[in-house]
Amino acid sequence: MEKFYPLSDIASLLQRYARGELSPTQLVERIHVEIRHDPDHVWITPLPLESLKYYATQVEAKGMTGLPLYGIPFAIKDNIDLAGVPTTAACPAFTYTPSRSATVVRRLMDAGAIPIGKTNLDQFATGLNGTRSPYGACRNAFNRDYISGGSSSGSAVAVAKGQVCFSLGTDTAGSGRVPAAFNNLIGYKPTKGWLSAHGLVPACRSLDTVSIFALTAADAARILEVSAGYDAEDIYSRQREEYNFDFGAVSHFRFAVPRRQQLQFFGNLESERLFYEAVASMHTLGGEAIEIDFEPFLEAARLLYEGPWIAERYTAIQSFFESQGDQIIAPIREIISAAKQYSAADAFKGYDQLRRIKQQADQIWQGVDCLLTPTASTIYSVQAMQQDPIRLNTHLGYYTNFMNLLDYTAVATPAGFQHNGLPFGISLVAPAHQDMPLLHLAHRLQALYSLPLGATGIALPKTHFPDVLQSSQIRIAVCGAHLSGLPLNEQLTTRQGRLITSTTTSSDYKLYALPGQPPQRPGLIRVNENERGFAIEVEIWELPARKFGSFVALIPAPLGIGTITLVNGETVQGFLCEHYAIKKATDISHFGGWRNYLQQLAHP
């Protein structure tokens, strides 16, 4: 058997398969040897070699064509079902063997991915530290004296060590993000409902989401595209919606940061240093920092464990809790026992309180595109966590517990290392359905930091963000009354339009002032080859595709939408004028743009 080399990103492994350097069967044989001795308590049920080879040969028989995840190995948190393999939720007495795989697992396998096994977790997905398991405390991939983060502990460490290319976790209070931060990974928490929760042992059913651990943001995006989709078997499933503005792919965007006095690092000066370095990195990418009041987010976070939502954890395992509560480990039993103090009236009061908080928190999105926070304030040793399990665990959720209550999406992203060699991570946060801009931004941040992948020591490859996941936004060039600050600009801004840049057309256009009632409008026309043209100033705006039709419907004749060529050769949609209208119009091309013409009218 050849030596096991840690796995890199998905694209790199697919290239090795395509070149014939490796086969899925050879790979799973090597992985099996690597993981069968597991001193760090990563795995609860690694699949037997016979099963791994069965899945590999099935994939090989189909071939690479049409299988976007051909032979890509992945791990599954052991509260997510894989057919024929026990699901324990890290509680041996709770164990059952499902006959069907969870919807998300099935979709991944249909795309060619190979399950390697079920991974360790904080029991019943209750915890952010990775020590609350009868199968042993899962150890950090960089220093086994430290916690791995939870509850999706094993899923994160398996990826960080390069044993699999990606893994599935779950995220109710931060379980898909904190382990990513502690193990130098991308931890992607999708918009709730984008990934089916059918086949998942719930923690808080209304808040749960399946999450993705990956070595790169590009990989997380690939996995999302394969696994997302509405599922009628999941009562909380929802359709993906288009995002409003791709702030992750532009040269200027606005990001919120909590006020300095609201940032909490629990004495870890290294985390504080690295966070402010991350703010500087965002500036490097074109971000503009806006300080915000973080209190509404903190107030929402407190509701998760100090409000009636704890009762939802109880209802998820109520019958088991009542009949075999002594089989639940002490910290989790203590947390869930608190549910009995809440009434139905408390639940409704809690929902009213959350509604008020969300209205306050959502106000920040009027002035910023995303929120930047640390993923976790600090990291603790396994020993310290076991000595003070509830208080220190609460510290870990300071920046994560509010997320699903407020229906936000997030990407935890690596952001450097402390002087002791342990990773630090930041989280990029946005409203529901803004996942793709966050992943774009995380992709750019990873390239800027250029950190090794996980704990493998493998350098970050130069990969492009998957083209299939690009925006369903439409870029449009405006040259007249729709320009920023002019009378018709609100037709763009009220449709969630965003200014991308100011530029000019190629130098073969003319601009005319059309006659008619205010607001006065120009007409842009492309000239013939034998005519003299000009470069005309335009603004490029981005508009959600779903809003484009209603915008175009407002455009009066003789104007319409056509294809315009910009000075850099790029083509976009834009305003053009029918030629018949210029017979009664004034040629203003020599002004170079509408604003210059208006200034001349105001100051002749």
Side-chain angles (χ1 to χ4, degrees):
M1 181 67 64
E2 293 185 37
K3 179 181 176 182
F4 178 80
Y5 292 96
L7 293 168
S8 181
D9 62 305
I10 291 173
S12 297
L13 181 54
L14 290 175
Q15 288 170 7
R16 293 190 68 190
Y17 285 147
R19 292 193 297 260
E21 298 173 1
L22 186 68
S23 71
T25 295
Q26 291 170 330
L27 179 62
V28 298
E29 288 174 343
R30 297 177 193 179
I31 294 173
H32 176 72
V33 172
E34 172 69 13
I35 69 175
R36 64 184 176 182
H37 300 296
D38 180 22
D40 295 328
H41 311 295
V42 174
W43 301 88
I44 290 179
T45 308
L47 294 187
L49 181 58
E50 295 75 14
S51 297
L52 295 177
K53 292 174 71 173
Y54 169 77
Y55 287 129
T57 54
Q58 279 199 321
V59 166
E60 290 166 352
K62 294 177 182 177
M64 294 189 70
T65 303
L67 293 181
L69 297 180
Y70 173 89
I72 302 299
F74 74 108
I76 304 167
K77 184 176 180 179
D78 199 19
N79 61 343
I80 302 172
D81 288 346
L82 174 63
V85 179
T87 296
T88 71
C91 181
F94 179 80
T95 302
Y96 65 92
T97 300
S99 59
R100 297 175 60 196
S101 293
T103 300
V104 66
V105 171
R106 189 170 65 252
R107 287 174 175 168
L108 291 166
M109 294 175 67
D110 287 345
I114 298 175
I116 301 301
K118 308 292 287 298
T119 51
N120 204 357
L121 67 151
D122 284 325
Q123 192 175 74
F124 292 114
T126 301
L128 292 173
N129 60 81
T131 69
R132 299 173 173 177
S133 172
Y135 296 96
C138 186
R139 303 290 175 149
N140 188 282
F142 289 83
N143 185 334
R144 64 188 317 274
D145 290 336
Y146 282 81
I147 61 174
S148 58
S151 61
S152 309
S153 52
S155 290
V157 176
V159 178
K161 287 186 169 186
Q163 296 172 345
V164 292
C165 285
F166 74 93
S167 65
L168 297 180
T170 63
D171 193 311
T172 305
S175 297
R177 290 161 280 151
V178 172
F182 292 169
N183 292 279
N184 195 44
L185 299 173
I186 289 291
Y188 166 46
K189 189 209 77 65
T191 292
K192 284 190 304 179
W194 273 24
L195 297 186
S196 171
H198 181 256
L200 164 67
V201 177
C204 291
R205 191 183 296 274
S206 67
L207 302 180
D208 295 336
T209 179
V210 173
S211 65
I212 295 167
F213 293 102
L215 292 166
T216 69
D219 279 358
R222 272 181 206 272
I223 298 155
L224 170 68
E225 196 66 13
V226 168
S227 57
Y230 180 77
D231 181 9
E233 292 189 281
D234 174 11
I235 61 172
Y236 286 101
S237 184
R238 68 209 277 196
Q239 299 282 3
R240 291 170 62 180
E241 296 179 11
E242 297 168 2
Y243 53 84
N244 297 332
F245 168 63
D246 193 356
F247 55 81
V250 297
S251 58
H252 178 263
F253 59 94
R254 297 185 296 271
F255 66 97
V257 292
R259 293 172 182 166
R260 186 175 290 266
Q261 63 270 29
Q262 293 173 323
L263 287 166
Q264 178 61 263
F265 298 97
F266 299 104
N268 189 328
L269 298 180
E270 281 290 278
S271 291
E272 185 173 6
R273 172 182 66 84
L274 289 165
F275 176 69
Y276 284 111
E277 288 181 6
V279 172
S281 296
M282 293 281 277
H283 288 308
T284 300
L285 294 179
E288 175 189 352
I290 308 291
E291 275 200 352
I292 54 120
D293 181 7
F294 199 54
E295 180 53 35
F297 300 85
L298 297 176
E299 189 177 356
R302 289 190 289 268
L303 284 179
L304 190 62
Y305 284 102
E306 299 175 20
W309 276 268
I310 198 66
E312 193 169 16
R313 288 188 182 268
Y314 169 68
T315 60
I317 56 169
Q318 183 175 359
S319 60
F320 182 80
F321 189 90
E322 293 301 331
S323 63
Q324 300 185 65
D326 59 338
Q327 299 299 308
I328 300 174
I329 61 178
I332 294 173
R333 189 168 62 248
E334 179 181 342
I335 291 166
I336 296 177
S337 293
K340 295 183 179 181
Q341 67 183 290
Y342 293 104
S343 66
D346 293 325
F348 283 107
K349 288 177 184 177
Y351 277 107
D352 289 345
Q353 185 180 2
L354 177 60
R355 186 78 175 183
R356 173 186 58 78
I357 295 169
K358 182 169 171 59
Q359 283 184 332
Q360 295 172 352
D362 283 351
Q363 289 177 9
I364 75 156
W365 307 122
Q366 297 175 18
V368 301
D369 300 306
C370 63
L371 167 67
L372 172 70
T373 71
T375 298
S377 306
T378 189
I379 184 171
Y380 299 106
S381 68
V382 171
Q383 182 180 16
M385 181 59 66
Q386 290 176 334
Q387 289 174 348
D388 193 0
I390 293 180
R391 185 177 69 90
L392 298 190
N393 189 85
T394 300
H395 291 177
L396 300 180
Y398 186 84
Y399 297 108
T400 63
N401 285 351
F402 63 83
M403 198 77 63
N404 284 346
L405 284 165
L406 296 177
D407 196 18
Y408 296 158
T409 181
V411 181
T413 306
F417 289 87
Q418 301 180 58
H419 287 146
N420 62 7
L422 290 168
F424 174 77
I426 55 174
S427 283
L428 305 169
V429 184
H433 305 293
Q434 308 308 298
D435 302 50
M436 209 51 63
L438 287 184
L439 286 166
H440 280 136
L441 185 54
H443 176 71
R444 292 172 63 200
L445 273 172
Q446 274 197 288
L448 188 66
Y449 276 99
S450 225
L451 299 172
L453 298 179
T456 65
I458 297 172
L460 178 73
K462 293 182 179 180
T463 57
H464 295 290
F465 202 83
D467 290 337
V468 70
L469 302 176
Q470 296 297 335
S471 167
S472 56
Q473 305 280 297
I474 294 176
R475 290 196 170 185
I476 180 170
V478 300
C479 59
H482 288 91
L483 292 166
S484 301
L486 296 186
L488 299 182
N489 183 248
E490 67 176 11
Q491 291 182 2
L492 290 165
T493 57
T494 57
R495 287 171 173 78
Q496 300 169 331
R498 290 294 301 267
L499 176 63
I500 301 301
T501 189
S502 296
T503 185
T504 67
T505 66
S506 56
S507 57
D508 47 3
Y509 286 86
K510 282 189 174 182
L511 191 68
Y512 293 84
L514 302 175
Q517 299 297 317
Q520 195 172 6
R521 302 168 191 258
L524 185 70
I525 289 180
R526 190 162 193 167
V527 300
N528 296 322
E529 291 182 4
N530 58 352
E531 293 184 76
R532 181 191 175 192
F534 297 81
I536 304 300
E537 293 179 353
V538 293
E539 288 180 351
I540 308 302
W541 286 71
E542 191 172 70
L543 202 63
R546 68 182 184 278
K547 303 284 187 179
F548 188 65
S550 66
F551 174 72
V552 173
L554 298 174
I555 301 172
L559 302 179
I561 296 294
T563 301
I564 291 177
T565 302
L566 303 179
V567 65
N568 63 359
E570 180 186 358
T571 58
V572 295
Q573 299 295 295
F575 282 86
L576 289 173
C577 181
E578 296 186 71
H579 274 74
Y580 77 85
I582 66 173
K583 295 179 181 179
K584 298 181 180 180
T586 303
D587 187 346
I588 60 171
S589 305
H590 58 286
F591 288 104
W594 188 243
R595 289 190 193 278
N596 292 339
Y597 169 68
L598 294 181
Q599 289 176 2
Q600 177 65 26
L601 289 181
H603 304 286

